[in-house]
Amino acid sequence: MKRGSRRSSTTRRRPSPERPSWDQYFVSIARLISGRSTCLRRHVGAVVVKDKRVLSTGYNGAPQGFVHCSEVGCIREQEQVPSGERHELCRGIHAEQNAIVQAAAFGVSIRDSTVYCTHFPCVLCTKLLINAGVKRLVVADTYPDTLSHAMLREAGIDLLVIE
C-alpha cells in the first residue's frame, strides 16, 4: 500500500470494467458530439485534445443563426453532388472546421494537438488542420480522399484509424 493511503489493508478493490484507451475515450466523445449534427447526409463530430484535455469540439451543420439543413433540405442532394466532390456546395460547416473556429473564438491554441474525428477529413479540413499545427489525427471511419492522405503524410501528421 502506498504511503499516505487511506485504504486499510483489508479493503478490496472491486473488479472494474475494462477502461477504454485515451484514443477510444476521445473517439467516443467525438461520436457523442456528432449527435448534434443537423446534416442530412452524415453526422460528424470532432474533438481537439492536448495533454489529455479537451480544448474544443465541433460537429457539422449550418452556421450559427442559420436555418438547419434538416429544415430547408440539402443542396448537395438537390444537385445530386457525389460524396467527396464540390465541398463548397453546402450550407454546412464541417466538424473539424467548427472545432478550429471554436478554439480561435476563445483564444485557444491547438498547435501540437490531437484531433479525434468520427470520419476522415476532406482535403479542405486537412489543409486547415495542417495550418493549425495539429500533430496527430485519430479517426473512426476512413474516407477515400487520396489528396488528404498525401497531404497528411507530407505534413508529418500521425494518422490512426480506430474502431
Side-chain angles (χ1 to χ4, degrees), residues 12 15 31 56 91 93 115 120 137-138 151 158 160-161:
R12 293 190 181 155
R31 285 185 176 124
S56 67
R91 291 174 53 83
I93 299 172
V115 172
F120 189 82
L137 176 64
V138 179
M151 292 184 84
D158 293 329
L160 174 65
V161 178

Side-chain angles (χ1 to χ4, degrees), residues 47-68:
V47 181
V48 181
V49 174
K50 189 171 182 180
D51 299 327
K52 299 178 185 167
R53 303 290 183 255
V54 174
L55 300 179
S56 67
T57 65
Y59 55 86
N60 57 330
Q64 290 179 8
F66 278 57
V67 177
H68 298 299

Side-chain angles (χ1 to χ4, degrees), residues 73-90:
C74 176
I75 296 169
R76 295 176 63 79
E77 283 184 3
Q78 293 163 5
E79 299 290 326
Q80 298 179 345
V81 177
S83 180
E85 296 180 16
R86 311 270 331 260
H87 294 289
E88 74 280 3
L89 289 179
C90 181

Side-chain angles (χ1 to χ4, degrees), residues 79-138:
E79 299 290 326
Q80 298 179 345
V81 177
S83 180
E85 296 180 16
R86 311 270 331 260
H87 294 289
E88 74 280 3
L89 289 179
C90 181
R91 291 174 53 83
I93 299 172
H94 291 185
E96 304 92 329
Q97 295 167 351
N98 268 328
I100 292 168
V101 169
Q102 183 186 71
F106 290 99
V108 176
S109 172
I110 63 171
R111 182 164 302 288
D112 300 325
S113 66
T114 297
V115 172
Y116 293 86
C117 199
T118 57
H119 294 73
F120 189 82
C122 71
V123 70
L124 300 175
C125 290
T126 295
K127 290 187 261 186
L128 290 172
L129 294 171
I130 291 167
N131 273 5
V134 171
K135 293 297 179 198
R136 187 168 179 257
L137 176 64
V138 179

